[in-house]
Amino acid sequence: VPSILSTKQWYQRRVRGIRQLDTEEFSLHCFQTITGVKFFVIVDHKQMACEPLLHRIYELYTDYVLKNPFYLIDMPIRCELFDTNLKRVIEQIERASAYNSATLA
């Protein structure tokens, strides 16, 4: 009798490859979507946890890229709204990181 897998169970069994790689100089984090699209973030070791950032990038991708009627899967992402909002998210993280560094010093 075949078992019925939830989407999360199916995804967890299907996801392969790197999720995090730490070196002496940086950390590389990867988030893979159910459809196989991978998002990578390279950060300093002092940087916050990357899971929230990767999920936010995925949200931006689904909101601005996948909903674009002219975008085809596997095309390079060329979407001004995605780029603008991604820059905004990264700037917010950098400001928060600088604030936390200043308060700890």
Side-chain angles (χ1 to χ4, degrees), residues 22-27 29 42-50 93 96-98 100-101 104:
D22 293 318
T23 71
E24 292 179 11
E25 298 179 19
F26 64 87
S27 292
H29 299 263
I42 299 172
V43 296
D44 187 286
H45 287 292
K46 297 175 241 173
Q47 192 65 29
M48 62 169 218
C50 288
I93 289 169
S97 179
N100 289 336
S101 295
L104 294 175

Side-chain angles (χ1 to χ4, degrees), residues 12 30 54 56 62 98:
Q12 288 174 341
C30 177
L54 287 164
R56 183 68 182 123
T62 58

Side-chain angles (χ1 to χ4, degrees), residues 16-18 30-33 36-40:
R16 301 273 189 257
I18 191 168
C30 177
F31 174 75
Q32 182 175 348
T33 68
V37 174
K38 294 180 183 180
F39 295 96
F40 291 92

Side-chain angles (χ1 to χ4, degrees), residues 1-69:
V1 176
S3 63
I4 298 174
L5 298 175
S6 71
T7 302
K8 186 174 182 180
Q9 289 171 326
W10 176 83
Y11 172 70
Q12 288 174 341
R13 288 185 181 184
R14 190 161 171 187
V15 171
R16 301 273 189 257
I18 191 168
R19 291 188 185 196
Q20 182 174 342
L21 173 71
D22 293 318
T23 71
E24 292 179 11
E25 298 179 19
F26 64 87
S27 292
L28 179 133
H29 299 263
C30 177
F31 174 75
Q32 182 175 348
T33 68
I34 292 173
T35 59
V37 174
K38 294 180 183 180
F39 295 96
F40 291 92
V41 175
I42 299 172
V43 296
D44 187 286
H45 287 292
K46 297 175 241 173
Q47 192 65 29
M48 62 169 218
C50 288
E51 281 296 316
L53 172 60
L54 287 164
H55 286 276
R56 183 68 182 123
I57 293 170
Y58 179 61
E59 288 175 8
L60 295 173
Y61 173 74
T62 58
D63 287 345
Y64 298 109
V65 178
L66 291 182
K67 293 178 183 175
N68 179 347

Side-chain angles (χ1 to χ4, degrees), residues 73-85:
I73 299 295
D74 294 331
M75 281 180 46
I77 298 172
R78 290 189 175 89
C79 177
E80 189 174 332
L81 285 172
F82 174 78
D83 292 343
T84 302
N85 285 284

